[in-house]
């Protein structure tokens, strides 16, 4: 079966009023927005972070490394911070499914909050790797910093 037939079949299923949709998403829904995936050679985030001379690519997300050297994390955060990218057509489809009462939940590996920016409600989105929707201070036990706050503001 060709992908066109697969998409048509999927669309026919979604059009049915009693159809409930659960979405499991990854980087592919955000790359169209200009956000690179993590591992693509030459264009992925890990490749782009090589200029920061990390001991290993995932160090950018390692809290112990962050305590020693927060610059790589803040460099990445500045590049990906919400407001720099617009939701894709797929993100808008998620909102449409929600508005029709068909969206059960979105499980995403993405940290970009584009589902929320498209208007998908917080209770429908599960971000497996966390996101920029909420910040947590590691210096004090305060867990609900707003996007513009830092630990120094406490």
């Amino acid at each position: 079966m060709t992908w066109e037939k697969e998409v048509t079949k999927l669309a026919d299923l979604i059009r049915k009023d009693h159809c409930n949709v659960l979405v499991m998403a990854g980087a592919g829904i955000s790359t169209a927005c200009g956000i690179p995936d993590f591992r693509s050679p030459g264009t992925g985030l890990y490749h782009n972070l090589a200029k920061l001379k990390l001991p290993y690519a995932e160090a950018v997300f390692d809290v112990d490394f962050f305590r020693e050297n927060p610059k790589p994390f803040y460099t990445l955060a500045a590049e990906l911070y919400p407001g720099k990218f617009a939701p894709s057509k797929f993100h808008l489809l998620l909102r449409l499914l929600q508005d029709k009462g068909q969206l059960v939940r979105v499980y995403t590996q993405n940290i970009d909050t584009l589902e929320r920016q498209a208007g998908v409600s917080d209770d429908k989105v599960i971000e497996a790797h966390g996101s920029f929707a909420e910040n947590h201070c590691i210096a004090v036990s305060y867990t609900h910093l707003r996007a513009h706050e830092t630990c120094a503001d406490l």
Side-chain angles (χ1 to χ4, degrees), residues 54-66:
L54 298 168
Y56 53 98
E58 294 85 359
V60 72
F61 299 115
D62 183 309
V63 71
D64 293 325
F65 181 79
F66 175 83

Side-chain angles (χ1 to χ4, degrees), residues 72 117 130-131 147:
Q117 289 179 51
S131 76

Side-chain angles (χ1 to χ4, degrees), residues 50-110:
K51 65 183 178 246
L52 298 174
K53 311 233 185 303
L54 298 168
Y56 53 98
E58 294 85 359
V60 72
F61 299 115
D62 183 309
V63 71
D64 293 325
F65 181 79
F66 175 83
R67 285 185 172 110
E68 293 175 25
N69 182 8
K71 183 180 177 181
F73 175 80
Y74 287 126
T75 299
L76 175 64
E79 292 174 12
L80 297 179
Y81 205 74
K84 293 189 172 205
F85 302 95
S88 69
K89 290 178 183 177
F90 190 84
H91 293 104
L92 299 175
L93 172 64
L94 297 175
R95 168 66 187 269
L96 177 64
L97 291 168
Q98 173 188 266
D99 292 350
K100 291 181 66 178
Q102 293 179 283
L103 184 65
V104 175
R105 191 89 60 236
V106 178
Y107 293 93
T108 181
Q109 295 183 6
N110 299 335

Side-chain angles (χ1 to χ4, degrees), residues 4-154:
E4 291 95 347
K5 288 181 182 178
E6 293 281 342
V7 169
T8 300
K9 184 177 175 181
L10 179 61
D12 290 341
L13 286 171
I14 291 174
R15 281 191 195 103
K16 295 180 181 181
D17 289 334
H18 64 278
C19 178
N20 291 321
V21 179
L22 182 138
V23 176
M24 298 177 75
I29 68 169
S30 295
T31 55
C33 305
I35 298 174
D37 65 14
F38 278 82
R39 293 177 177 84
S40 289
T43 60
L45 286 172
Y46 289 152
H47 172 82
N48 296 341
L49 290 172
K51 65 183 178 246
L52 298 174
K53 311 233 185 303
L54 298 168
Y56 53 98
E58 294 85 359
V60 72
F61 299 115
D62 183 309
V63 71
D64 293 325
F65 181 79
F66 175 83
R67 285 185 172 110
E68 293 175 25
N69 182 8
K71 183 180 177 181
F73 175 80
Y74 287 126
T75 299
L76 175 64
E79 292 174 12
L80 297 179
Y81 205 74
K84 293 189 172 205
F85 302 95
S88 69
K89 290 178 183 177
F90 190 84
H91 293 104
L92 299 175
L93 172 64
L94 297 175
R95 168 66 187 269
L96 177 64
L97 291 168
Q98 173 188 266
D99 292 350
K100 291 181 66 178
Q102 293 179 283
L103 184 65
V104 175
R105 191 89 60 236
V106 178
Y107 293 93
T108 181
Q109 295 183 6
N110 299 335
I111 64 172
D112 53 41
T113 72
L114 290 176
E115 297 85 4
R116 296 168 192 263
Q117 289 179 51
V120 177
S121 61
D122 292 352
D123 65 322
K124 298 282 188 197
V125 180
I126 304 296
E127 291 141 332
H129 299 298
S131 76
F132 288 108
E134 227 179 65
N135 299 293
H136 305 273
C137 183
I138 62 171
V140 297
S141 61
Y142 189 77
T143 60
H144 296 288
L145 296 173
R146 291 180 199 91
H148 63 281
E149 292 179 320
T150 68
C151 292
D153 296 323
L154 300 176

